[in-house]
mmCIF file with all atom_site columns, all heavy atoms in Angstrom:
data_model
loop_
_atom_site.group_PDB
_atom_site.id
_atom_site.type_symbol
_atom_site.label_atom_id
_atom_site.label_alt_id
_atom_site.label_comp_id
_atom_site.label_asym_id
_atom_site.label_entity_id
_atom_site.label_seq_id
_atom_site.pdbx_PDB_ins_code
_atom_site.Cartn_x
_atom_site.Cartn_y
_atom_site.Cartn_z
_atom_site.occupancy
_atom_site.B_iso_or_equiv
_atom_site.pdbx_formal_charge
_atom_site.auth_seq_id
_atom_site.auth_comp_id
_atom_site.auth_asym_id
_atom_site.auth_atom_id
_atom_site.pdbx_PDB_model_num
ATOM 1  N N   . LEU A 1 9   ? -11.069 70.298 -11.871 1.00 0.00 ? 9   LEU A N   1
ATOM 2  C CA  . LEU A 1 9   ? -11.368 69.420 -10.740 1.00 0.00 ? 9   LEU A CA  1
ATOM 3  C C   . LEU A 1 9   ? -10.165 68.572 -10.382 1.00 0.00 ? 9   LEU A C   1
ATOM 4  O O   . LEU A 1 9   ? -9.815  68.425 -9.203  1.00 0.00 ? 9   LEU A O   1
ATOM 5  C CB  . LEU A 1 9   ? -12.561 68.515 -11.068 1.00 0.00 ? 9   LEU A CB  1
ATOM 6  C CG  . LEU A 1 9   ? -13.945 69.140 -11.253 1.00 0.00 ? 9   LEU A CG  1
ATOM 7  C CD1 . LEU A 1 9   ? -14.975 68.046 -11.424 1.00 0.00 ? 9   LEU A CD1 1
ATOM 8  C CD2 . LEU A 1 9   ? -14.301 70.028 -10.083 1.00 0.00 ? 9   LEU A CD2 1
ATOM 9  N N   . SER A 1 38  ? -21.786 70.008 10.680  1.00 0.00 ? 38  SER A N   1
ATOM 10 C CA  . SER A 1 38  ? -21.746 68.663 11.252  1.00 0.00 ? 38  SER A CA  1
ATOM 11 C C   . SER A 1 38  ? -22.995 68.402 12.067  1.00 0.00 ? 38  SER A C   1
ATOM 12 O O   . SER A 1 38  ? -23.404 69.216 12.871  1.00 0.00 ? 38  SER A O   1
ATOM 13 C CB  . SER A 1 38  ? -20.503 68.522 12.143  1.00 0.00 ? 38  SER A CB  1
ATOM 14 O OG  . SER A 1 38  ? -20.469 67.263 12.747  1.00 0.00 ? 38  SER A OG  1
ATOM 15 N N   . LEU A 1 69  ? -10.715 69.566 2.768   1.00 0.00 ? 69  LEU A N   1
ATOM 16 C CA  . LEU A 1 69  ? -11.625 69.412 1.629   1.00 0.00 ? 69  LEU A CA  1
ATOM 17 C C   . LEU A 1 69  ? -11.100 68.356 0.657   1.00 0.00 ? 69  LEU A C   1
ATOM 18 O O   . LEU A 1 69  ? -10.797 68.637 -0.496  1.00 0.00 ? 69  LEU A O   1
ATOM 19 C CB  . LEU A 1 69  ? -11.813 70.749 0.915   1.00 0.00 ? 69  LEU A CB  1
ATOM 20 C CG  . LEU A 1 69  ? -13.040 70.861 0.006   1.00 0.00 ? 69  LEU A CG  1
ATOM 21 C CD1 . LEU A 1 69  ? -14.317 70.670 0.818   1.00 0.00 ? 69  LEU A CD1 1
ATOM 22 C CD2 . LEU A 1 69  ? -13.079 72.207 -0.691  1.00 0.00 ? 69  LEU A CD2 1
ATOM 23 N N   . MET A 1 185 ? -21.770 48.219 -11.493 1.00 0.00 ? 185 MET A N   1
ATOM 24 C CA  . MET A 1 185 ? -22.204 49.441 -12.169 1.00 0.00 ? 185 MET A CA  1
ATOM 25 C C   . MET A 1 185 ? -20.995 50.328 -12.429 1.00 0.00 ? 185 MET A C   1
ATOM 26 O O   . MET A 1 185 ? -20.182 50.562 -11.541 1.00 0.00 ? 185 MET A O   1
ATOM 27 C CB  . MET A 1 185 ? -23.219 50.190 -11.294 1.00 0.00 ? 185 MET A CB  1
ATOM 28 C CG  . MET A 1 185 ? -23.804 51.423 -11.955 1.00 0.00 ? 185 MET A CG  1
ATOM 29 S SD  . MET A 1 185 ? -25.107 52.211 -10.958 1.00 0.00 ? 185 MET A SD  1
ATOM 30 C CE  . MET A 1 185 ? -24.121 52.886 -9.612  1.00 0.00 ? 185 MET A CE  1
#
Side-chain angles (χ1 to χ4, degrees):
L9 293 186
S38 178
L69 199 61
M185 184 175 71

